[in-house]
């Protein structure tokens, strides 16, 4: 008979303006269990964690802890009750010593003062138990990220947690440190501590977790034993695609581009490396070709695009454009070479909401339009008129604030900004995310037209149907490395999912 749950949610819902982030989510975690919580971007994982730990209050449903209904008003309340969270970004105090971070808020005292000697001694012993041998008197920021993560883990355990939520805990760890973390998690499990383990790394899930809950679009789509779920089926649940899919014509609005206009690559990416992020990514793109980048959340898709345009500093690797190797990667140099990036997060990294449609469109083109440092209104108006008509941007006038437009029209404004520079290569990161069906079809049709006109396109999308219909080739990434490449008729939803899942067994 299963052990009674230590932490559970019963039909928990959470709304934000215009978004139902959690839709009647029910999940239970048992003492001593390592329970996987997985899902792609926007699935609701972060929102659920914040509801469990008192950052957010649920709008509906119930959270139960040790059999009793609870509603934590703040994270400290959850922590004091015995629910601790270790985040992907270490949330400790970098200027304080390692020991002070470990004992923050519960420092041993003597005669009313902090007993520094005892604190340092106990901190050293606690960390050595986890295989971490550092000078605990040094500032936290002076030790490796992996060691910092272990300090956060040791602190969470030391406060006598009954439930430990771990959000992407291995993202900054070396292989040796990952092994130590796994050993600690298994040890915690034998002590009866429940662990909610959030990760996109399939190998970790199968190595550690007993059960899994899969979220998609704010709903639970699967809960069950980890070992009874094969990798391909898990990926299918996460992405929301059936296991058997074939390439279908005209579903998304893309057409067939035919062969690339040239056999010579316009873009050659060779061995891009960034510690813990990219691991030797290599591929090329030809004029008139749409090359898709596929993979799960955290696979390195967006990071690859940012590295190509110089927005992500690299440890190694090269980018060659038109046969010319770029000596120094930077956004400015990329623009000079005709490379433009449409970012994944249009609100945070794209549009400037308080500026007008006109100002947002001509922003990148201002240096080229200037004569003696002055840009005439007439030049701006001609460009804006051309691209508002070509992209069918719906606005009351070019002077309307871009924040007032729909998501689809905001996306078109960003496309117009880069297209008015006449780029040779366009990197599109989730170009149709968050826009309505009609706008999505229009954007996809535009991408198809650009490819037909000879523009090289890199299409990044978590929508498998979009990749299958829109790309001539799909380069599949996993954990920052290329794990497969599908070409032509071999590009299918099943093949992409199988590549993601099968390669995980060889890591």
């Amino acid at each position: 008979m299963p052990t009674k749950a230590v932490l559970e949610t019963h039909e928990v819902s959470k709304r934000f303006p215009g978004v139902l982030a959690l839709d009647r989510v029910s999940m239970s975690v048992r003492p001593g269990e390592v329970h996987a919580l997985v899902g792609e971007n926007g699935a609701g994982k972060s929102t659920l964690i914040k509801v469990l730990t008192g950052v957010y209050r649920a709008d509906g449903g119930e959270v139960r802890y040790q059999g009793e209904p609870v509603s934590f008003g703040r994270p400290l309340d959850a922590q004091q009750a015995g629910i601790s969270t270790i985040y992907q970004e270490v949330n400790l105090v970098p200027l304080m010593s390692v020991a002070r971070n470990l004992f923050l808020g519960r420092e041993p005292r003597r005669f009313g003062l902090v007993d520094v000697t005892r604190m340092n001694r106990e901190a050293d012993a606690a960390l050595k138990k986890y295989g971490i041998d550092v000078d605990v008197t040094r500032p936290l920021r002076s030790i490796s990220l992996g060691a910092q993560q272990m300090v956060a883990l040791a602190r969470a355990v030391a406060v006598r947690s009954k439930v430990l939520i771990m959000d992407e805990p291995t993202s900054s760890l070396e292989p040796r440190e990952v092994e130590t973390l796994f050993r600690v998690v298994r040890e915690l499990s034998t002590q009866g501590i429940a662990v909610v383990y959030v990760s996109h790394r399939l190998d970790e899930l199968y190595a550690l977790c007993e059960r899994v809950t899969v979220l998609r679009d704010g709903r639970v789509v699967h809960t069950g034993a980890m070992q009874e779920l094969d990798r391909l089926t898990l990926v299918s649940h996460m992405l929301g695609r059936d296991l058997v899919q074939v390439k279908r014509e005209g579903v998304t609005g893309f057409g067939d581009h035919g062969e690339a206009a040239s056999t010579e690559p316009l873009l050659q990416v060779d061995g891009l490396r960034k510690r813990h992020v990219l691991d030797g990514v290599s591929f090329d793109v030809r004029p008139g070709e749409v090359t898709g980048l596929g993979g799960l959340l955290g696979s390195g898709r967006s990071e690859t695009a940012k590295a190509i345009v110089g927005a992500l500093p690299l440890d190694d690797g090269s980018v060659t454009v038109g046969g010319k190797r770029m000596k120094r990667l930077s956004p400015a140099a990329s623009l000079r070479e005709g490379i433009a990036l449409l970012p994944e997060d249009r609100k945070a990294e794209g549009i400037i909401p308080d500026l007008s449609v006109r100002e947002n469109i001509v922003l990148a083109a201002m240096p080229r339009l200037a004569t003696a440092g002055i840009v005439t209104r007439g030049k701006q108006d001609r460009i804006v008129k051309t691209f508002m008509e070509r992209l069918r941007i719906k606005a009351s006038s070019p002077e309307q604030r871009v924040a007032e437009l729909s998501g689809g029209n905001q996306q078109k404004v960003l496309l117009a900004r880069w297209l008015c520079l006449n780029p040779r290569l366009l990197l599109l990161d989730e170009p149709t995310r968050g826009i309505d069906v009609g706008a999505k079809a229009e954007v996809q049709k535009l991408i198809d037209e650009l490819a037909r006109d000879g523009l090289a396109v890199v299409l990044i999308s978590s929508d498998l149907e979009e990749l299958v219909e829109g790309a001539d080739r799909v380069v599949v990434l996993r954990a920052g490395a290329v794990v497969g490449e599908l070409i032509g008729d071999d590009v299918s939803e099943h093949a992409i999912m199988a590549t993601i899942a099968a390669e995980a067994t060889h890591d």
Side-chain angles (χ1 to χ4, degrees), residues 29 73 163:
V29 186
V163 178

Side-chain angles (χ1 to χ4, degrees), residues 200-239:
H200 60 266
R201 299 181 176 180
L202 299 185
D203 285 357
E204 293 181 10
L205 301 178
Y206 281 95
L208 280 179
C209 302
E210 300 162 40
R211 289 196 302 145
V212 59
T213 294
V214 185
L215 294 181
R216 189 175 69 244
D217 297 329
R219 300 184 183 93
V220 174
V221 294
H222 178 82
T223 294
M226 195 80 224
Q227 298 305 324
E228 293 177 2
L229 191 66
D230 65 70
R231 295 170 188 262
L232 186 56
T233 305
L234 176 58
V235 171
S236 174
H237 284 315
M238 292 168 67
L239 297 180

Side-chain angles (χ1 to χ4, degrees), residues 325-441:
R325 177 170 173 167
M326 296 187 66
K327 295 179 181 177
R328 183 174 178 273
L329 292 174
S330 70
S334 297
L335 282 176
R336 286 194 295 270
E337 291 297 329
I339 305 175
L341 168 64
L342 187 79
E344 177 183 14
D345 190 339
R346 64 174 174 268
K347 291 186 178 179
E349 301 177 322
I351 64 167
I352 302 176
D354 290 330
L355 294 186
S356 67
V357 172
R358 175 181 58 79
E359 290 166 323
N360 269 275
I361 289 176
V362 301
L363 191 62
M366 294 293 267
R368 298 188 183 187
L369 297 175
T371 303
I374 299 173
V375 181
T376 66
R377 182 62 177 266
K379 287 182 179 179
Q380 294 183 42
D381 289 344
R382 282 194 293 275
I383 286 179
V384 171
K385 183 175 185 294
T386 297
F387 284 96
M388 286 188 72
E389 290 177 355
R390 181 181 177 187
L391 273 63
R392 294 183 288 278
I393 297 172
K394 296 175 183 175
S396 59
S397 80
E399 303 311 314
Q400 184 178 3
R401 288 175 65 246
V402 77
E404 297 171 358
L405 303 187
S406 68
N409 282 294
Q410 289 178 1
Q411 195 75 304
K412 291 179 186 179
V413 167
L414 278 181
L415 275 168
R417 178 190 297 171
W418 300 121
L419 291 178
C420 70
L421 297 178
N422 295 315
R424 295 191 285 173
L425 170 68
L426 194 56
L427 304 168
L428 302 173
D429 194 354
E430 300 287 2
T432 64
R433 174 177 287 169
I435 62 179
D436 63 56
V437 175
K440 180 175 181 178

Side-chain angles (χ1 to χ4, degrees), residues 438-450:
K440 180 175 181 178
E442 288 184 358
V443 170
Q444 290 167 332
K445 183 179 179 183
L446 176 63
I447 294 169
D448 184 58
E449 290 173 357
L450 295 172

